[in-house]
């Protein structure tokens, strides 16, 4: 008997060649062989025909060749739809030797009394399998073992006949065309309507990894077939008479194809993606498209594009929160609900008279108006942020500051674009609400980036107000111009300087480093930003810092439909008012915590001061390091200007008050007391019912009918495609001439030495 060495080469072609280790079986990682019965293997001379069970369901042909060109057919018994033809040749130097009593058992063997299948080799080299049972009963499965190991059990010792599995070139695994019980389709199965029928067939195709092609689809029937050529799978469903239900009439559920050969799926539409992740998105609206892709690939084995996942998410979110177009259309009703649920609030929307396209929205809650007019500092910061939704727009903000220094949002405006005209309109609305809610409007201090529209709006609506630069905008422009951290720090120190002498000293330090920087600073009037020159009272606030402070939740809200965005803002305000109101009830001090700390520090510093009294109100305070300062407790001022600028007694003022046994807390501004702070948040911002209830809650007045008929269309400008800018363009940067750079190597302009390409 000739010895043969069996080598299974790369799939699909297998070749037997010489191997230094006799009786080695080299097998690709796509085969895991399991035989339950005991088989007696005998080898003759020539042709060999072998029947094996195979669990793979594709139709690839695998050929096995041995040295010489003899034909050896390996016939695979089919447990699924996979045929492997192995071509064997005879080679005298490469032999697989099995003794005449050797039995080869792959996998688990049956009981000893089970009938054996004798594998005999005839003189013509034909290897045949004598079956005494059905092959399907003897062969359990043929699958790939991850460890790529093939276990051998023999009736006798096979130490000299080893079967070794070797790693060869990996083979791309194909999908198994198996029917998932959850998606099984049977004749007589009923569906509520044709859409449900189509959806069930589509889901079954995706689950079983084959694509379908619609043959006929209308209101009464639906016919589809497998998209693969010559595959017999076909299904037909029709409407039941007298009812909208559909039932499967006929189905041929056998496939001759191997399923789809690519990673996508024709039936995996955007709507299918939306239906697949709807429940997850309702639980977690922050579910990202990337996470959707990963889940679909894990659950269904389908690879989709990012755009499909994003569009599927947007479709579900539109159903949950409403579409962007619906948000603009319902704005008049929303404004009506704001006024109805929060009496005294202001909510108005304006559209273009010609086509009713959205232009402006202004909302201010009565709780904010009351708190600002009666308890907040007379200080307002103005800022804006761009909307990140489907349509372009800008959110305008007017914010006050409570006694503890926290932001106190006063009014919000949404405009189709940021223009000088829209800023003037926003400030006119702000002035109207303040004038309507106070008899004697205090002299305000306003901080902004001082763009032209804001300057004109403040001058027209608040002619007596002090209008200063927000130092954040100014310092960012300065940093862009000179990109020097030391200069920026000196600029901030100059802005914080309380006296003119101290301010001029900082400017001289800047001039020593860069005369251009000093010239840039002097070009901006210090009365608009420097504390030493500013005439208004900022209480230590040099920046409005609104958007950056609210960015944690405002950034997310700016990407929602307009009504959802305003509702997100309202909920945040409602939560703030309640939390701060409850927190203030726990305070036992006279002043708010931040003011209490500042006064305590001033009392500690005043211990080393010497106080001389000129009369009942005027004092001379001498300190070792600061020299002499004059304090007037009647007018609440000090020569250092700290008392006047911050609204709290400075260390010199505290020393004078303590010397005459006065209560320091009585000489602070009323906005710093706990009683006033509680008054700031005494009113409540009430919730607004769901939009599905608005029609039921509207009173039946004639004015309501007119408002309901008013519809607002989305703005004309859509967001352009592409990634938006991360850094906004400051108004003061527009039209600015860039600095001219010089190369120290070639003495030319426009590049640096490191990027110089001029020849040496």
């Amino acid at each position: 008997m000739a010895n043969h060495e069996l080598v299974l080469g790369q799939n699909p072609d297998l070749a037997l060649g010489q191997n230094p280790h006799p009786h080695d079986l080299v097998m690709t990682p796509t085969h895991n062989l399991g035989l339950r019965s005991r088989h007696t293997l005998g080898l003759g001379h020539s042709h060999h025909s072998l029947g094996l069970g195979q669990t793979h369901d594709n139709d690839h042909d695998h050929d096995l060749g041995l040295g010489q060109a003899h034909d050896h057919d390996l016939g695979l018994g089919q447990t699924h739809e996979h045929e492997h033809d192995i071509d064997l040749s005879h080679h005298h130097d490469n032999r697989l030797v099995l003794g005449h009593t050797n039995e080869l058992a792959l996998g688990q063997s049956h009981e000893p009394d089970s009938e054996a299948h004798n594998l005999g080799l005839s003189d013509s080299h034909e290897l045949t399998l004598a079956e005494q049972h059905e092959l399907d009963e003897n062969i359990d499965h043929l699958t790939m073992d991850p460890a790529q190991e093939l276990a051998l059990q023999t009736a006798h010792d096979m130490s000299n006949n080893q079967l070794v599995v070797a790693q060869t070139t990996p083979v791309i695994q194909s999908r198994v065309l198996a029917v998932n019980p959850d998606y099984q389709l049977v004749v007589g199965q009923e569906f509520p309507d044709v859409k449900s029928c189509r959806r069930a067939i589509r889901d079954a195709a995706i689950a079983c990894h084959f694509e379908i092609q619609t043959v006929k689809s209308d209101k009464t029937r639906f016919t589809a077939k497998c998209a693969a050529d010559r595959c017999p799978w076909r299904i037909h469903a029709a409407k039941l008479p007298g009812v909208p239900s559909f039932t499967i009439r006929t189905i041929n559920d056998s496939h001759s194809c191997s399923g789809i050969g690519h990673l996508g799926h024709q039936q995996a539409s955007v709507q299918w993606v939306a239906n697949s992740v709807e429940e997850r998105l309702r639980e977690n609206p922050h579910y990202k498209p990337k996470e959707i892709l990963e889940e679909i690939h894990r659950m269904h084995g389908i690879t989709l594009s990012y755009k499909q996942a994003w569009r599927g998410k947007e479709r579900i979110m539109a159903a949950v929160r409403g579409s962007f177009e619906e948000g603009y259309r319902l704005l008049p009703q929303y404004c009506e609900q704001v006024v109805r649920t929060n009496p005294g609030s202001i909510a108005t929307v304006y559209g273009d008279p010609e086509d009713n396209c959205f232009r402006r929205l202004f909302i201010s809650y009565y709780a904010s108006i009351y708190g600002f007019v009666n308890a907040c500092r007379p200080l307002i910061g103005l800022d804006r942020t761009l909307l990140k939704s489907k349509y372009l727009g800008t959110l305008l903000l007017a914010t006050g500051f409570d006694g503890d220094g926290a932001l106190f949002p006063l009014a919000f405006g949404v405009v189709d674009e940021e223009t000088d005209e829209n800023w003037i309109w926003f400030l006119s609305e702000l002035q109207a609400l303040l004038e309507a809610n106070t008899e004697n409007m205090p002299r305000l201090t306003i901080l902004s980036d001082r763009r032209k529209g804001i300057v004109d709006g403040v001058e027209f609506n608040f002619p007596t107000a002090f209008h200063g630069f927000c130092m954040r905008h100014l310092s960012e422009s300065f940093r862009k111009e000179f990109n020097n951290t030391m200069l920026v720090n000196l600029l901030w120190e100059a802005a914080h300087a309380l006296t003119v002498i101290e301010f001029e000293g900082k400017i001289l330090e800047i001039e020593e480093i860069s005369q251009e920087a000093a010239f840039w600073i002097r070009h901006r009037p210090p009365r608009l930003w420097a504390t030493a020159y500013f005439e208004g009272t900022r209480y230590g606030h040099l920046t409005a810092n609104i958007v950056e402070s609210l960015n944690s939740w405002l950034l997310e809200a700016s990407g929602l439909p307009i009504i959802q965005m305003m509702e997100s803002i309202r909920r945040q305000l409602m939560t703030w008012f309640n939390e701060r109101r409850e927190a203030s009830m726990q305070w036992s001090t006279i002043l708010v915590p931040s003011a209490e700390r500042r006064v305590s520090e001033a009392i500690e510093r005043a211990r080393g001061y010497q106080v001389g009294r000129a009369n009942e109100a005027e004092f001379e305070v001498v300190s070792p390091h600061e020299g002499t300062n004059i304090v007037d407790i009647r007018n609440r001022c000090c020569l250092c200007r700290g008392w006047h600028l911050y609204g709290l007694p400075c260390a010199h003022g505290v020393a004078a008050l303590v010397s005459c046994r006065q209560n320091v807390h009585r000489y602070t501004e009323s906005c710093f007391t706990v009683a006033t702070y509680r008054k700031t948040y005494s009113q409540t911002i009430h919730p607004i019912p769901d939009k599905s209830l608005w029609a039921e809650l509207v009173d039946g007045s004639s004015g309501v009918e007119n408002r309901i008929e008013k519809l607002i269309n989305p703005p004309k400008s859509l967001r352009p495609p592409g990634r938006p800018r991360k850094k906004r363009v400051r108004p003061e940067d527009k039209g600015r001439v860039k600095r001219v750079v010089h190369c120290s190597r070639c003495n030319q302009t426009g590049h640096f030495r490191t990027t110089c390409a001029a020849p040496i």
Side-chain angles (χ1 to χ4, degrees):
M1 181 183 297
N3 291 332
H4 294 271
E5 177 184 2
L6 183 61
V7 179
L8 295 183
Q10 183 175 355
N11 193 1
D13 295 330
L14 282 76
L16 290 177
Q18 186 170 357
N19 193 303
H21 303 284
H23 319 302
D24 288 351
L25 175 62
V26 180
M27 191 170 190
T28 62
T30 60
H31 297 80
N32 182 11
L33 207 57
L35 293 177
R36 292 191 177 274
S37 299
R38 303 176 60 186
H39 303 271
T40 302
L41 182 65
L43 295 178
H45 275 282
S46 291
H47 298 293
H48 307 276
S49 177
L50 178 62
L52 293 177
Q54 173 70 16
T55 61
H56 291 294
D57 17 67
N58 34 24
D59 295 332
H60 302 297
D61 291 331
H62 299 266
D63 297 330
L64 179 67
L66 274 176
Q68 298 180 6
H70 297 294
D71 269 339
H72 304 271
D73 295 330
L74 178 61
L76 298 177
Q78 301 233 173
T79 59
H80 292 287
E81 301 172 357
H82 195 148
E83 293 186 4
H84 294 260
D85 294 333
I86 303 181
D87 196 28
L88 301 176
S89 307
H90 182 69
H91 197 288
H92 293 284
D93 295 332
N94 301 295
R95 297 178 294 176
L96 176 62
V97 181
L98 295 178
H100 66 279
T101 60
N102 285 2
E103 296 176 349
L104 177 62
L106 298 178
Q108 183 179 0
S109 64
H110 289 279
E111 295 295 328
D113 57 348
S114 62
E115 297 186 31
H117 296 272
N118 298 324
L119 195 63
L121 187 63
S122 65
D123 292 338
S124 61
H125 302 299
E126 181 178 0
L127 187 63
T128 60
L129 177 65
E131 293 197 8
Q132 298 178 5
H133 291 292
E134 292 296 327
L135 188 58
D136 292 337
E137 297 177 2
N138 299 326
I139 301 178
D140 183 24
H141 60 278
L142 181 59
T143 56
M144 173 58 198
D145 186 281
Q148 300 171 348
E149 295 179 356
L150 190 62
L152 295 178
Q153 296 179 356
T154 62
H156 299 285
D157 184 18
M158 292 186 63
S159 59
N160 296 327
N161 302 306
Q162 297 178 353
L163 189 60
V164 181
V165 177
Q167 174 73 32
T168 59
T169 306
V171 180
I172 298 178
Q173 297 183 6
S174 60
R175 290 166 171 162
V176 177
L177 201 61
V179 178
N180 190 324
D182 296 336
Y183 299 98
Q184 191 169 6
L185 302 173
V186 295
V187 174
Q189 188 173 351
E190 293 188 8
F191 306 95
D193 49 37
V194 66
K195 289 185 178 179
S196 301
C197 179
R198 286 198 296 257
R199 187 182 305 117
I201 296 174
R202 177 197 61 194
D203 293 344
I206 292 175
C208 299
H209 302 299
F210 70 93
E211 293 178 340
I212 61 174
Q213 180 180 348
T214 301
V215 178
K216 191 170 295 184
S217 177
D218 53 34
K219 295 181 179 180
T220 60
R221 54 189 172 175
F222 178 78
T223 305
K225 65 176 184 178
C226 181
D229 292 339
R230 300 178 182 177
C231 181
W233 189 94
R234 189 180 183 94
I235 189 170
H236 174 70
K239 181 178 178 297
L240 293 174
V243 292
S245 301
F246 263 66
T247 182
I248 296 178
R249 297 291 181 85
T250 60
I251 181 172
N252 183 357
D253 57 356
S254 62
H255 284 273
S256 63
C257 65
S258 59
I260 56 178
H262 54 86
L263 297 178
H265 201 288
Q266 185 178 355
Q267 274 68 52
S269 62
V270 173
Q271 186 59 46
W272 178 82
V273 174
N275 295 337
S276 301
V277 298
E278 179 177 3
E279 184 177 352
R280 179 68 66 89
L281 279 174
R282 289 183 181 273
E283 296 175 355
N284 179 22
H286 304 292
Y287 202 43
K288 297 180 180 179
K290 182 179 179 181
E291 296 172 334
I292 294 176
L293 292 177
E294 293 173 352
E295 179 177 351
I296 289 179
H297 183 73
R298 182 176 64 254
M299 299 296 295
H300 304 281
I302 297 175
T303 301
L304 303 177
S305 66
Y306 183 90
K307 185 176 182 180
Q308 278 182 288
W310 180 86
R311 291 176 62 191
K313 176 183 177 180
E314 287 300 308
R315 187 166 295 185
I316 292 299
M317 296 310 296
V320 172
R321 67 193 180 192
S323 64
F324 290 93
E325 293 76 13
E326 183 188 31
Y328 287 102
R329 181 173 57 83
L330 296 178
L331 272 179
Q333 291 92 318
Y334 177 74
C335 292
E336 180 184 337
Q337 293 299 317
V338 170
V339 176
R340 188 189 66 82
T341 56
N342 294 268
S345 301
I346 299 175
T348 55
V349 60
Y350 303 91
D352 193 311
E354 297 180 359
D355 51 14
N356 283 337
C357 287
F358 172 81
R359 289 197 63 193
R360 297 162 178 165
L361 171 69
F362 183 88
I363 292 180
S364 180
Y365 294 97
Y366 176 74
S368 297
I369 299 173
Y370 179 87
F372 179 81
V373 170
N374 294 281
C376 280
R377 314 174 190 185
L379 176 65
I380 293 179
L382 302 176
D383 206 348
R384 62 97 172 95
T385 184
L386 299 178
L387 300 185
K388 296 175 175 58
S389 60
K390 180 178 179 180
Y391 295 94
L392 294 176
T394 305
L395 175 65
L396 310 180
L397 304 99
T399 304
F401 300 86
D402 64 20
D404 204 31
L407 289 176
F408 185 83
L410 174 59
F412 302 91
V414 181
V415 294
D416 54 354
E417 58 179 334
E418 185 185 15
T419 61
D420 295 342
E421 180 185 359
N422 282 333
W423 268 115
I424 294 173
W425 162 81
F426 180 73
L427 291 170
S428 67
E429 295 284 339
L430 183 63
Q431 188 271 342
L433 78 86
L434 292 177
E435 192 175 53
N437 288 274
T438 182
E439 296 179 358
N440 298 315
M441 186 183 297
R443 194 173 186 183
L444 298 174
T445 298
I446 298 176
L447 302 177
S448 72
D449 59 2
R450 287 187 63 88
R451 62 171 293 155
K452 185 179 184 302
I454 298 179
V455 172
D456 294 342
V458 170
E459 290 179 355
F460 181 78
N461 296 286
F462 303 96
T464 62
F466 301 104
H467 188 193
F469 267 118
C470 171
M471 272 302 298
R472 177 176 56 84
H473 296 91
L474 193 66
S475 64
E476 284 299 319
S477 299
F478 184 75
R479 183 188 300 274
K480 287 181 180 180
E481 184 71 26
F482 299 100
N483 194 25
N484 188 314
T485 304
M486 182 180 297
L487 291 177
V488 173
N489 293 337
L490 288 174
L491 176 66
W492 278 95
E493 292 176 7
H496 281 285
L498 299 180
T499 63
V500 174
I501 296 176
E502 186 180 356
F503 172 82
E504 292 297 335
K506 296 298 179 183
I507 298 301
L508 288 176
E509 291 185 35
I510 294 175
E511 191 172 8
E512 291 177 358
I513 299 175
S514 171
Q515 293 185 354
E516 293 181 359
F519 177 80
W520 188 95
I521 293 174
R522 294 189 185 278
H523 188 65
R524 276 76 181 167
R527 62 181 176 81
L528 300 178
W529 58 275
T531 303
Y533 287 95
F534 191 74
E535 298 178 0
T537 303
R538 295 188 289 187
Y539 300 94
H541 291 278
L542 299 185
T543 66
N545 204 30
I546 300 173
V547 173
E548 280 70 13
S549 300
L550 306 181
N551 198 46
S552 58
W553 58 271
L554 193 60
L555 182 65
E556 178 184 345
S558 63
L560 300 173
I562 187 167
I563 289 181
Q564 295 295 322
M565 178 183 70
M566 300 311 300
E567 275 294 274
S568 177
I569 293 174
R570 183 197 56 77
R571 293 189 189 99
Q572 185 66 52
L573 293 184
M574 181 178 67
T575 303
W576 277 354
F577 269 63
N578 182 64
E579 290 177 349
R580 294 174 183 178
R581 184 189 309 117
E582 292 181 350
S584 66
M585 295 301 175
Q586 307 299 322
W587 297 343
S588 58
T589 57
I590 298 176
L591 303 179
V592 296
S594 60
E596 195 71 37
R597 288 192 299 269
R598 192 175 183 89
V599 170
S600 299
E601 293 172 359
I603 292 174
E604 188 66 27
R605 288 176 55 198
R607 297 184 186 277
Y609 292 171
Q610 297 179 0
V611 181
R613 186 168 186 173
N615 54 41
E616 60 181 7
E618 192 173 6
F619 295 82
E620 181 184 33
V621 180
V622 180
S623 61
H625 304 290
E626 301 174 15
T628 301
N629 283 278
I630 300 174
V631 177
D632 186 347
I633 61 174
R634 181 185 294 113
N635 296 320
R636 300 185 180 185
C637 63
C638 175
L639 198 61
C640 73
R641 301 185 73 239
W643 195 342
H644 167 70
L645 294 174
Y646 292 100
L648 295 169
C650 61
H652 313 106
V654 169
L657 292 171
V658 171
S659 68
C660 61
R661 299 181 181 179
Q662 294 292 325
N663 186 349
V664 176
H665 297 88
R666 292 179 54 192
Y667 286 83
T668 61
E669 294 289 342
S670 61
C671 62
F672 294 106
T673 63
V674 172
T676 302
Y677 184 90
R678 291 171 180 168
K679 191 176 182 181
T680 306
Y681 297 100
S682 61
Q683 301 299 310
T684 301
I685 296 180
H686 301 283
I688 296 175
D690 186 77
K691 61 184 178 182
S692 60
L693 304 175
W694 292 354
E696 302 176 7
L697 299 172
V698 172
D699 297 330
S701 62
S702 59
V704 171
E705 295 179 0
N706 294 333
R707 287 193 295 272
I708 293 178
E709 292 176 357
K710 181 182 179 181
L711 296 178
I712 299 296
N713 297 321
K716 300 176 183 178
S717 54
L718 280 169
R719 176 168 298 280
R723 186 181 296 273
R725 294 175 60 95
K726 289 187 176 181
K727 295 184 178 179
R728 61 181 182 180
V729 179
R730 312 280 183 187
E732 58 268 24
D733 294 337
K734 294 181 178 179
R736 177 171 61 91
V737 179
K738 294 185 178 180
R739 296 176 59 192
V740 179
V741 296
H742 294 268
C743 176
S744 60
R745 181 170 173 269
C746 65
N747 203 26
Q748 299 296 320
T749 61
H751 63 274
F752 293 101
R753 179 184 183 88
T754 54
T755 58
C756 181
I760 300 176

